Amino acid sequence: MLVETHLGKQAAQAVPLSDAAMRLGVLPMPTLQWTPEVERETAHLYEKVKRVIPPVEWPFHAPYVKAINDLKRQRNAVILAHNYQTPEIYNCVADVVGDSLQLARLAGSTNADIIIQGGVHFMAETSKLLNPDKTILIPDSKAGCSLAESITGADVRALRKQYPGVPVVAYVNTSAEVKAEVDICCTSSNAVKVVESLGVDRVIFLPDRFLAQNVAAQTKVKIIAWTGACEVHERFTAEEISAYRANDPELKVIAHPECPREVVEVSDFAGSTAAMIDYVKSQAPKRVLLVTECSMADNVATETPNVEFVRPCNLCPHMKRITLPKILESLVYLREEVTIDPALAARARLSVQRMIDLG
Ligand code: 13P
Ligand code: SF4
């Protein structure tokens, strides 16, 4: 079986070389064939994903998996993959997986020359902020985020005028341009801690209004919220969760705090994607409903064979722009390179670094 990346060959002619490709050179596109050698060399990886990828699909993934893992070594590259990446990326080619905070921390400590971001654009920008001298690539720069797109640097400046002296906390799901205007960043796993670290009685919290509501429920600090929302999590409803519960009293419900407050209120636990994974692993519920992006359940299922997953998942179209063929092209052609104006990056880095320094 021959699996060819036609896109790669056409795009190689159509797209100008990135600066990184000029510096480091383009490599030949590997031949992508399902051979006994590929089958043998990827068998241990298929073992990890066999619960969520049917055997008939593996011959399509495996040649990419082998080619990507070979090229990573050749390029001294690492792949940082968010927990919402598809199981073949998360389990078979990623070097580091995690939630936004874990990825930001690990981006700052890698020795690799090249970081490929398996995730969305604001994550790749965060990696660049923490590694200004490394080559940061995102396999598809159109992988955006409804939260990051809901606010601009000019909006933050207007908020500061409206609320003089009130510090601004930005969820990492924001552009570097926005990070450059704020006091400190947070993720869903440290938002309450970050808000309380400022020692004030009110903060501006942006851009996610639902995360803001969920943080406000856990602190005495008054939260002034922006009106953004995650297009994946805002669609879950409390009625939907209650209907699942009514049919299955043993079901554990675990929600991401980007969900509306009323969804979190009818859940057993809420936390970042890493905290959700920890909950499933440590509590090992018989049946669990993860109120979050679709690939999470697949990725946790590979490691928790005794847990049954109920799947009312919503798909993040941005996360799903990252695919094995595009990761391979990133490694071959060194695209798409993430660059940030150095003066803006210096200001944005401060707000990310303040968060990381909080521990
Ligand atoms: P965390 O992985 O930090 O919980 O973030 C979830 C998310 O929606 C990232 O885009
Ligand atoms: Fe953005 Fe939501 Fe997609 Fe995460 S899941 S990248 S917050 S749109």
Side-chain angles (χ1 to χ4, degrees), residues 82-84 98-103 120 122-123 144-145 147 171-173 187-189 230 232-233 256-258 271-276 292-293 296 316 319:
H82 186 263
N83 293 326
Y84 293 161
D99 67 5
S100 311
L101 183 60
Q102 290 169 327
L103 294 183
V120 293
F122 75 80
M123 295 177 174
C145 169
L147 282 170
Y171 195 26
V172 283
N173 298 37
T187 71
S188 57
S189 61
C230 161
V232 174
H233 292 96
H256 193 277
E258 288 170 10
S272 76
T273 54
M276 295 170 92
T292 191
E293 209 275 340
M296 267 282 288
C316 175
M319 287 280 177

Side-chain angles (χ1 to χ4, degrees), residues 15-32:
V15 178
L17 286 184
S18 67
D19 285 352
M22 304 274 235
R23 289 193 308 275
L24 303 167
V26 166
L27 295 174
M29 177 60 77
T31 305
L32 297 162

Side-chain angles (χ1 to χ4, degrees), residues 213-214 233-241 245 253-256 258-270 289 291-292:
Q213 288 169 5
N214 289 316
H233 292 96
E234 71 175 343
R235 283 186 281 148
F236 292 109
T237 65
E239 292 72 38
E240 183 186 6
I241 309 302
R245 275 205 191 281
V253 178
I254 305 177
H256 193 277
E258 288 170 10
C259 291
R261 178 79 200 132
E262 57 274 19
V263 170
V264 170
E265 277 171 346
V266 296
S267 301
D268 295 294
F269 174 79
L289 190 158
V291 192
T292 191

